[in-house]
Amino acid sequence: MKKLLKAIFLILASVSVYSQEEYSEQAKYRFAKKVFEKEYLETVFENFSGKIVVENENTIKFDEKTLTLNVKEYREIFTSGLFYPNLIIGNHTVDIKTKEELEKMTTNEIVFYNMTRTDSVRIGNMQELVLLNPNYQTKRFLIWIMRPGRANAQEWYFELQNKKANKKTKLSDFIKNAKLTYSKSGTIII
């Protein structure tokens, strides 16, 4: 009887784990699928035309704006200028305060200053949304954007297209000939 109960328990436990993994995968795609189905409008974006300086493995400067990455596999998307901070925070800049200037500010002024800063962006998570890629010439991505002064990350969706790509095209070759064709902010991560 004990063996039978153990077998039943193991079967039920494995079904439960499978269901959780399946649900997690569905949840990952739920918002992205909605954005690409209901809000998608293909637009070809120009690559970044300013100066790109790779400061180190995780930091890239786009003129006066800094992008910090915690992703290595897709780094070339950013170093090639396909996706860059101005797409997220716009072309305007805010003067960077010195330490002395910050010390003279009230707490509320510091909070407001940090919320309006446009000098840096951090990408903490990036995933290719493989199930949403309509063909081999399109790759869709989800990234988490963190901005100074914000408590939570924000999802951001974008799409790259490479008209020359096929099933065997390597990621680095795909990126070299790709164009950014969609960019959209998504939900806030809580």
Side-chain angles (χ1 to χ4, degrees):
M1 184 69 171
K2 282 186 178 182
K3 287 183 181 180
L4 179 63
L5 287 175
K6 256 188 199 179
I8 292 171
F9 175 75
L10 288 174
I11 291 170
L12 291 175
S14 65
V15 168
S16 174
V17 169
Y18 175 76
S19 296
Q20 287 176 357
E21 286 178 8
E22 187 177 294
Y23 175 78
S24 174
E25 196 66 19
Q26 288 174 353
K28 173 177 136 181
Y29 283 93
R30 184 177 58 219
F31 293 115
K33 185 176 181 182
K34 188 176 177 182
V35 167
F36 282 105
E37 284 179 352
K38 299 198 186 294
E39 301 178 34
Y40 181 80
L41 178 64
E42 185 176 320
T43 306
V44 177
F45 293 83
E46 294 295 321
N47 284 15
F48 184 73
S49 60
K51 184 176 180 184
I52 300 174
V53 176
V54 178
E55 291 190 336
N56 60 47
E57 188 176 278
N58 299 325
T59 307
I60 306 166
K61 293 279 279 186
F62 294 84
D63 288 337
E64 74 285 341
K65 296 182 181 175
T66 303
L67 178 67
T68 305
L69 298 171
N70 291 334
V71 294
K72 296 198 182 349
E73 183 180 3
Y74 302 108
R75 190 169 176 258
E76 194 176 344
I77 292 171
F78 306 97
T79 58
S80 67
L82 278 169
F83 196 91
Y84 48 94
N86 290 6
L87 296 170
I88 300 163
I89 53 183
N91 292 328
H92 62 282
T93 59
V94 173
D95 292 331
I96 305 304
K97 305 280 186 200
T98 64
K99 187 176 179 181
E100 293 79 25
E101 290 173 314
L102 287 172
E103 288 172 353
K104 293 177 185 176
M105 295 170 74
T106 67
T107 304
N108 288 341
E109 289 173 329
I110 291 172
V111 168
F112 181 75
Y113 166 72
N114 281 329
M115 289 184 72
T116 60
R117 282 179 59 186
T118 58
D119 64 311
S120 62
V121 173
R122 190 167 45 116
I123 295 176
N125 182 28
M126 182 169 181
Q127 301 170 9
E128 181 180 351
L129 300 169
V130 179
L131 298 179
L132 298 182
N133 292 342
N135 54 49
Y136 299 118
Q137 297 175 334
T138 305
K139 292 191 181 290
R140 292 177 171 171
F141 297 91
L142 161 69
I143 55 178
W144 286 10
I145 303 290
M146 276 83 59
R147 295 177 58 186
R150 308 281 168 95
N152 297 70
Q154 181 179 15
E155 286 185 333
W156 201 275
Y157 307 103
F158 69 94
E159 173 186 88
L160 300 178
Q161 286 187 10
N162 178 340
K163 300 293 183 191
K164 299 177 183 177
N166 59 45
K167 186 176 182 176
K168 296 179 182 180
T169 304
K170 294 180 183 176
L171 180 63
S172 59
D173 293 330
F174 184 94
I175 292 169
K176 284 177 189 165
N177 295 308
K179 294 281 183 200
L180 178 66
T181 54
Y182 184 70
S183 179
K184 176 82 173 141
S185 63
T187 61
I188 293 180
I189 307 301
I190 298 177

